[in-house]
Amino acid sequence: MYNIICIDKRTKEWRVIKKVRTKGEAIEWIEKHKHEYPGCILNFAREGFEPIVEV
Amino acid sequence: MVELEPWEELAEIARKYVYTTIVNVSRDIVDYFTDLAKATDRMEMGGFLLGKHKIVKGILVVQLYDYIQQLNVSPEPETSYQFPTGSYSEIKRLIKEGRYSIATWLHTHPDDSYFSVADICYHCLTFRERLKDIFSPIDPREIPAFLVTGGEIGYVMTYTGVYSYMLRYSSGDVEAILVFPIYRPKSSSQYVINLPEKMKERFPDYEVCHECADQLYYTSIKVSRLEKLVPSPTPAPAPVKMSISDLINVLRDDLGQAITEGKFDIARLLDKLISMLQRREIDKEKIHEILFELQGLGYSMEKVSIIIESLRI
């Protein structure tokens, strides 16, 4: 499982906004929905792994 | 023969930034990292980075310039990487033969996730144990491990414990060299701050791993930034914009009125189209249009299909 995450552009805190089964689905979902999250950097990470939050 | 960068110059860079170790990554490897980030799909991948080292006036200078891919034999390759049996023997053999003097390991993550506590512990315990004899007196932990991530952004990270180091990604072009003085303060990531605690929970008996998590050094650079270090090939000229009728006229002129006179020569037409394609004077869509236009000149659909197939377009 992959977590799609929103990294807050200002605070750099992150939260899970969607769960999908594959990397391909994650890429597709982000492409379709990124305009809905203007305050976020959207990315994905496998469940149990820590997303990279580097500036 | 690989051309190494001047050892003294690298040592001087390290001295300037007050580091006692500098790890220089060659342009070829930088290029490879950018490809690898894109290629990592579902499984983790891995291998060894190899190079040479010298001690120059007390500075450990490492130049990494080769990579040997290894299979992932982990029973769960989607979430972990494991070297096949015998892969360390191969690296030792290459070092004993004098082809290289130093090595480190690399693995990929299909997403943009940090190195795990298991990754750190592997580097500080297993990797160190396997190569400490051959590297002696250098502690293998002095050379950081590499992680290439394949998420939306893509990063190349390096990490080790106890030993600080300076990492330098080289483009091979003096103008484009990026000196990346890398030590990131631990405060840059909450995850890194919490690593010692996580390490003790996961590996309570491995003190060497606790030590590495307590004194972790790491670097992080976006793949997009690395891509700027590797100049792309000279861009091809922009396609010339021509109408279909203009193109037909060009073809007609070039073929010496062969089309209109009914002396149509497929081979010559194909040569012409291919050379135009190579010069980017036309694109594949245009060729399709041209070929269908030829029907108007009495060329049968069947023959047009044969041409299309011949061109593999």
Side-chain angles (χ1 to χ4, degrees), chain A residues 23 43 46 50-52 54, chain B residues 40 78 111-112 114 184:
Chain A
K23 177 174 174 173
N43 208 333
R46 288 163 295 173
E50 185 81 11
I52 298 171
E54 295 281 321
Chain B
T40 299
E78 291 91 351
D111 52 4
D112 283 339
Y114 277 104
R184 291 290 190 93

Side-chain angles (χ1 to χ4, degrees), chain A residues 14-32:
Chain A
W14 61 272
R15 63 193 162 91
V16 177
I17 53 174
K18 174 85 179 167
K19 286 180 185 288
V20 293
R21 283 178 305 140
T22 66
K23 177 174 174 173
E25 283 178 33
I27 293 168
E28 203 171 306
W29 194 93
I30 289 173
E31 187 55 37
K32 275 186 189 162

Side-chain angles (χ1 to χ4, degrees), chain A:
Chain A
M1 289 293 280
Y2 281 78
N3 290 327
I4 293 173
I5 56 156
C6 155
I7 302 167
D8 189 296
K9 284 179 180 170
R10 196 172 49 81
T11 64
K12 302 299 170 198
E13 286 173 356
W14 61 272
R15 63 193 162 91
V16 177
I17 53 174
K18 174 85 179 167
K19 286 180 185 288
V20 293
R21 283 178 305 140
T22 66
K23 177 174 174 173
E25 283 178 33
I27 293 168
E28 203 171 306
W29 194 93
I30 289 173
E31 187 55 37
K32 275 186 189 162
H33 297 271
K34 60 185 172 192
H35 66 281
E36 295 167 25
Y37 298 87
C40 296
I41 297 164
L42 295 186
N43 208 333
F44 57 86
R46 288 163 295 173
E47 210 160 43
F49 284 78
E50 185 81 11
I52 298 171
V53 184
E54 295 281 321
V55 285

Side-chain angles (χ1 to χ4, degrees), chain B residues 17-150:
Chain B
Y17 287 91
V18 203
Y19 284 90
T20 53
T21 299
I22 180 167
V23 178
N24 188 72
V25 180
S26 76
R27 175 182 166 156
D28 283 352
I29 297 293
V30 169
D31 200 5
Y32 181 70
F33 284 165
T34 62
D35 291 342
L36 193 58
K38 289 169 191 159
T40 299
D41 188 12
R42 196 162 54 89
M43 312 287 188
E44 294 196 4
M45 300 190 288
F48 291 101
L49 289 166
L50 296 130
K52 297 219 164 170
H53 77 284
K54 269 187 187 176
I55 310 281
V56 182
K57 294 176 188 165
I59 307 269
L60 170 61
V61 182
V62 175
Q63 300 206 47
L64 298 172
Y65 54 84
D66 261 345
Y67 177 68
I68 296 179
Q69 178 95 19
Q70 300 284 329
L71 287 174
N72 183 359
V73 297
S74 165
E76 292 173 338
E78 291 91 351
T79 53
S80 65
Y81 179 78
Q82 195 178 319
F83 284 106
T85 311
S87 51
Y88 277 95
S89 308
E90 188 187 346
I91 297 309
K92 283 182 178 179
R93 180 181 58 79
L94 292 169
I95 291 174
K96 277 179 187 163
E97 286 173 3
R99 294 175 66 178
Y100 307 100
S101 67
I102 208 94
T104 188
W105 69 289
L106 170 154
H107 80 297
T108 70
H109 283 179
D111 52 4
D112 283 339
S113 60
Y114 277 104
F115 37 79
S116 63
V117 286
D119 295 336
I120 299 167
C121 195
Y122 181 85
H123 188 60
C124 289
L125 185 65
T126 313
F127 176 78
R128 182 190 187 200
E129 280 301 313
R130 298 261 169 96
L131 294 179
K132 69 178 182 188
D133 294 340
I134 203 152
F135 281 4
S136 180
I138 293 169
D139 182 333
R141 289 180 300 175
E142 291 183 60
I143 323 298
F146 285 69
L147 168 67
V148 179
T149 72

